[in-house]
Amino acid sequence: MEYTKPDIMKAIGFKKSLHIDEADSFIEFEKEIPTAEGRDILVKIEAISVNPVDYKIRKNSLKDTQQDIPKVIGWDAIGTVEATGDEVTLFKKGDRVYYAGDLTRDGSNQEFQIVDERIVGMAPKNISIEQAAAMPLTSLTAYEILFDRLQLNKEKDKDKTILIIGGAGGVGSVGIQLAKKVLGLSVIATASREVTAEWCLKMGADHLVNHQDLVSEVKKIGFEQVDFIVDFVNLNEYWDAIVELIKPQGKIGSISDPTGPVPLNQLKKKSAAFYWELMFTRAMFQTEDMIAQHHILNQISQLLDEGILQPTMNTTLDGFTAENMKAAHRLLESGKSVGKLVVKF
């Protein structure tokens, strides 16, 4: 189908990795709107959300070099399909979609984006655009670590215990809900401040523990060991506690970036299993099951529309500007954010 589109769009990016308070840490610029080909769709973006991966890549990807054309990041978006490639079968022009995207391509910090249909879902209908924009990356990550990596299911795992390290963050907020409301697990979440504790309870956690003394805190609430542990914060910092708290033949998963070696040999005595989770793996390697993310996002939409899952958006910034992107990154880098932060176009 023919689509007449404007030639130029606004984007926000950076030419060099800079401290967020520097003038050019984010810059607004114009670029050509790409054309959808093959299995790609072209999406007109309406809102995005910001994740820790955003500021990590902004701080580290262009440390020793400077690009002529700004690098565009961002891995959460909701928008409307404006055009489709000739091999697209899952979507049509006018569909409202949401997705996290692909680490190897330009991100969502632009007015239009090309994305492979296999990692895109139909957006939920019963929540706001801003609320929906907050969900893709964290939902995919939490779902994949629980269902694809640890391979949990309600029939065999109901009422077992899971410790979620980092309960009030974006992934933890969805992880608590999936673990409790979908899998029926007994959920222990870490929270060290009153605001994070309240948030974790709102998400459905059964028990709260302070991460600063994890082993004694978990034992204090009556658990000597737990069946499953997922780390959404810092694997090296909590490794000794994880090794002590995991049950024999238990399962551990992590999404964090270790700052040093992880001594997996310490798990041998307990025959405990360890899994990495990176939400971008399927798209980066074009895996045979890449379309699984389309199905997961559709399932998350259904759970949101049915009210089984609640949105995790906690902060909204109105306006797609460099200043708002700086404010979003500044908040996430502070380590004080709770839930998800969204920028509305």
Side-chain angles (χ1 to χ4, degrees):
M1 179 182 288
E2 288 283 329
Y3 169 62
T4 304
K5 61 179 174 63
D7 294 327
I8 301 297
M9 64 172 167
K10 175 182 172 181
I12 297 174
F14 56 95
K15 293 183 175 183
K16 187 174 178 60
S17 292
L18 299 170
H19 188 281
I20 195 60
D21 291 330
E22 293 200 37
D24 290 339
S25 60
F26 275 115
I27 53 177
E28 298 180 17
F29 69 105
E30 291 187 334
K31 60 181 290 196
E32 187 176 337
I33 296 175
T35 300
E37 298 175 346
R39 299 202 70 171
D40 285 342
I41 58 176
L42 178 69
V43 179
K44 186 179 190 303
I45 295 175
E46 299 167 55
I48 57 174
S49 74
V50 183
N51 297 282
V53 65
D54 295 54
Y55 76 74
K56 290 175 184 176
I57 288 178
R58 192 206 82 246
K59 289 169 70 172
N60 296 307
S61 62
L62 297 178
K63 265 185 176 178
D64 304 316
T65 186
Q66 180 159 327
Q67 294 189 173
D68 294 330
I69 300 171
K71 181 180 180 71
V72 177
I73 60 173
W75 292 281
D76 257 339
I78 184 170
T80 303
V81 177
E82 291 288 354
T84 60
D86 57 4
E87 298 175 31
V88 169
T89 60
L90 302 174
F91 302 102
K92 64 184 186 305
K93 178 177 165 59
D95 285 341
R96 176 165 281 154
V97 296
Y98 74 147
Y99 53 90
D102 180 346
L103 207 57
T104 66
R105 306 179 78 173
D106 277 355
S108 53
N109 295 350
Q110 52 187 340
E111 291 178 323
F112 291 84
Q113 184 181 6
I114 289 288
V115 62
D116 190 302
E117 66 168 348
R118 289 169 289 180
I119 56 173
V120 176
M122 293 295 291
K125 297 179 174 62
N126 296 339
I127 60 176
S128 71
I129 290 170
E130 298 95 316
Q131 289 173 322
M135 299 306 295
L137 183 144
T138 54
S139 296
L140 285 166
T141 302
Y143 188 101
E144 288 185 353
I145 200 169
L146 294 174
F147 293 92
D148 294 348
R149 310 298 167 237
L150 273 60
Q151 297 186 327
L152 306 183
N153 71 64
K154 191 170 186 177
E155 283 185 13
K156 68 178 176 65
D157 296 317
K158 187 177 185 294
D159 296 326
K160 290 182 180 178
T161 51
I162 186 168
L163 170 62
I164 296 178
I165 302 173
V171 180
S173 300
V174 184
I176 289 172
Q177 295 189 71
L178 290 174
K180 184 65 186 176
K181 300 170 185 177
V182 179
L183 287 165
L185 300 176
S186 177
V187 179
I188 306 165
T190 67
S192 60
R193 295 179 289 142
E194 185 177 344
V195 64
T196 54
E198 289 175 359
W199 180 263
C200 289
L201 290 173
K202 180 183 174 185
M203 293 298 106
D206 297 294
H207 308 279
L208 301 176
V209 292
N210 191 316
H211 63 86
Q212 291 166 354
D213 191 4
L214 203 47
V215 173
S216 63
E217 285 275 302
V218 171
K219 291 185 176 182
K220 193 192 303 181
I221 60 171
F223 298 94
E224 286 297 311
Q225 296 176 320
V226 295
D227 297 287
F228 314 114
I229 300 175
V230 287
D231 157 57
F232 299 144
V233 183
N234 185 324
L235 190 60
N236 290 116
E237 183 177 349
Y238 300 108
W239 182 252
D240 290 342
I242 288 169
V243 171
E244 185 169 344
L245 288 170
I246 194 67
K247 276 186 181 178
Q249 302 183 103
K251 296 178 179 181
I252 302 159
S254 178
I255 67 170
S256 65
D257 299 309
T259 54
V262 180
L264 292 176
N265 61 306
Q266 293 179 8
L267 300 176
K268 184 177 181 180
K269 185 167 62 174
K270 289 185 175 180
S271 297
F274 179 82
Y275 301 86
W276 286 119
E277 159 60 19
L278 179 65
M279 186 229 77
F280 297 111
T281 296
R282 282 175 159 133
M284 285 173 70
F285 294 97
Q286 298 277 304
T287 61
E288 291 179 1
D289 67 345
M290 184 171 161
I291 200 170
Q293 292 199 337
H294 167 71
H295 299 307
I296 293 168
L297 286 169
N298 284 346
Q299 189 173 346
I300 295 295
S301 278
Q302 185 177 344
L303 291 168
L304 287 162
D305 282 340
E306 291 174 357
I308 296 169
L309 293 185
Q310 57 179 308
T312 59
M313 181 194 77
N314 200 33
T315 306
T316 306
L317 300 176
D318 197 7
F320 180 53
T321 65
E323 286 309 308
N324 275 344
M325 294 309 302
K326 290 179 184 181
H329 278 237
R330 198 174 289 117
L331 178 60
L332 259 69
E333 287 183 56
S334 75
K336 303 293 185 185
S337 61
V338 176
K340 287 295 296 290
L341 183 150
V342 171
V343 177
K344 187 178 181 184
F345 280 35

